[in-house]
Amino acid sequence: AQSVSQHNHHVILSEAASLELGCNYSYGGTVNLFWYVQYPGQHLQLLLKYFSGDPLVKGIKGFEAEFIKSKFSFNLRKPSVQWSDTAEYFCAVHAGNNRKLIWGLGTSLAVNP
Amino acid sequence: KAGVTQTPRYLIKTRGQQVTLSCSPISGHRSVSWYQQTPGQGLQFLFEYFSETQRNKGNFPGRFSGRQFSNSRSEMNVSTLELGDSALYLCASSLDTSGDSYEQYFGPGTRLTVT
């Protein structure tokens, strides 16, 4: 069965630290990849997405993610986090003809000022 | 353009009761998906509706059902509530014109507490 793994469940960083959140999926065919963010008390919102083309995609608020097909990974990065980046981050994959989005369990990020 | 709206925002029910949650998608969006979000399980897919038809279904028992109306508004119903049904229920809509983009826009959710 298709699955998405987010390796870090809880991450605590200080402001200005660099961030990398891991996301791996299990599916050998064509995928569409997403990172969503849920700020405290707010809706889930799209951070960035990859459908095709340049495997390095840039999203909102300085986030970027790199699709590495050989590693089945789509890791999220930010060079310098801010306190306002404190949120829950979800990786999601749309695989092949399956119309369902498969979600990771999420990573809770806390940034200390 | 208004976002996805869900009503009610909060609900407290007793075991054995049934509940109906409502979702109004973004205008023009024809696909509506429902998710259950809990701290330990993350987002669990319930079902997806497109043009009043259930297009996809997750692995939830038959107590969970849904429907979509001609204006794309959707409802989900949970019958014979159990304590484990306490969760945040999220609705997401997508434009889904090509069938490939599948970018979803989420509502604020309905927080259901079963006592």
Side-chain angles (χ1 to χ4, degrees), chain A residues 23-25 33 66-75:
Chain A
C23 173
N24 285 88
Y25 61 92
L33 301 158
E66 185 175 14
F67 169 49
I68 303 180
K69 189 174 182 180
S70 61
K71 295 185 178 179
F72 302 93
S73 70
F74 190 54
N75 292 354

Side-chain angles (χ1 to χ4, degrees), chain B residues 71-109:
Chain B
N71 60 359
S72 293
R73 190 177 70 84
S74 177
E75 287 181 348
M76 67 162 281
N77 183 78
V78 188
S79 62
T80 321
L81 283 165
E82 300 177 0
L83 294 179
D85 297 333
S86 294
L88 182 67
Y89 289 87
L90 295 171
C91 168
S93 74
S94 65
L95 191 58
D96 197 18
T97 51
S98 67
D100 292 331
S101 66
Y102 221 63
E103 180 176 335
Q104 297 192 322
Y105 296 81
F106 284 83

Side-chain angles (χ1 to χ4, degrees), chain A residues 37-56:
Chain A
V37 61
Q38 189 172 32
Y39 296 104
Q42 295 189 26
H43 307 187
L44 264 168
Q45 58 183 282
L46 183 68
L47 202 52
L48 48 77
K49 60 189 177 186
Y50 171 82
F51 294 152
S52 63
D54 188 345
L56 184 62

Side-chain angles (χ1 to χ4, degrees), chain A residues 4 7 68 71 78 80 85 105:
Chain A
V4 176
H7 315 297
I68 303 180
K71 295 185 178 179
K78 185 170 183 179
S80 176
D85 293 325
L105 290 180

Side-chain angles (χ1 to χ4, degrees), chain A residues 70-106:
Chain A
S70 61
K71 295 185 178 179
F72 302 93
S73 70
F74 190 54
N75 292 354
L76 181 70
R77 300 195 293 247
K78 185 170 183 179
S80 176
V81 295
Q82 301 172 318
W83 175 77
S84 58
D85 293 325
T86 295
E88 187 108 20
Y89 292 82
F90 294 90
C91 179
V93 177
H94 174 215
N97 293 324
N98 186 340
R99 291 210 50 80
K100 290 188 283 189
L101 267 180
I102 311 299
W103 293 79
L105 290 180

